[in-house]
Amino acid sequence: MQKSSLCLVALLAAISTAAMAVANEDPRVQRHELMEGVRDAAKPLGGMLRGTVEFDADTVAASLATFSEAASTFGSLFPEGSETGMDTQATAAIWSDRDGFDAALAKFASVVEQAQAAAPASLDAAKPVLGPIFQACKGCHDDYRVEKD
C-alpha cells in the first residue's frame, strides 16, 4: 500500500512537471510573462517621471535592457492558432493587421534603441527618451490589446 502511494505521488509529480513544461512553451504564456517583465521594468521609470521615485541611472539602464529583450522577442510570440484561450489580452487585429502590429513593435524597438544609445544619466536627460517609449507602449495597447475591466 505504501509503495503504491509513493508511485502515485511520483506519477502526479511527473504529470505536473510535464504540464508546466508544455505551458512554458505556449506562446500565450511566454508573451504574458514577457509583458509582466516589461510592466515591472516600467513601474520605476514611471515613478521617476512622476517624481515619486528617485532617479537611478542603473535602474533606467536595466529597464531599457528588459524593453530591448522584449522588443526582439515579442513579435514571434503571436503565431497562428494563439489568438484565443488562456485569457489572452491580444486582439484579433494582431493577426488581421499583422503589418500594423509589426510596425508598432518596430517603433517600440526603435525608441528603446534610441533611449539606450542616449544612456540618460539624469532625470532631465531621461524624460525625452522615456516619453516616446511609453507612447509606443500606449499606442500598441490601444490597437492590439483588450482592456480588462
Side-chain angles (χ1 to χ4, degrees):
M1 179 116 150
Q2 190 175 19
K3 184 177 180 181
S4 65
S5 293
L6 288 174
C7 287
L8 179 59
V9 169
L11 178 62
L12 290 174
I15 290 171
S16 176
T17 300
M20 287 183 350
V22 168
N24 287 338
E25 292 177 10
D26 189 306
R28 294 166 296 191
V29 172
Q30 292 175 342
R31 66 189 184 224
H32 176 79
E33 289 175 357
L34 188 66
M35 282 296 100
E36 284 185 343
V38 167
R39 178 202 63 206
D40 292 345
K43 282 182 181 181
L45 301 183
M48 288 177 205
L49 293 173
R50 287 187 302 278
T52 59
V53 173
E54 187 175 330
F55 179 82
D56 179 27
D58 291 338
T59 299
V60 172
S63 293
L64 293 175
T66 297
F67 297 163
S68 180
E69 175 64 27
S72 69
T73 308
F74 199 58
S76 67
L77 298 176
F78 293 87
E80 293 293 329
S82 68
E83 299 90 355
T84 62
M86 299 184 76
D87 203 26
T88 184
Q89 294 179 354
T91 67
I94 291 172
W95 292 270
S96 65
D97 179 25
R98 188 60 194 223
D99 290 341
F101 180 65
D102 289 342
L105 290 175
K107 171 127 176 102
F108 176 68
S110 174
V111 295
V112 168
E113 185 178 313
Q114 290 169 19
Q116 286 181 303
S122 69
L123 182 58
D124 287 337
K127 285 179 180 179
V129 296
L130 295 181
I133 291 172
F134 284 109
Q135 290 170 352
C137 290
K138 182 183 180 325
C140 199
H141 282 198
D142 287 348
D143 295 336
Y144 302 106
R145 179 174 177 246
V146 175
E147 288 297 321
K148 298 290 183 180
D149 292 330

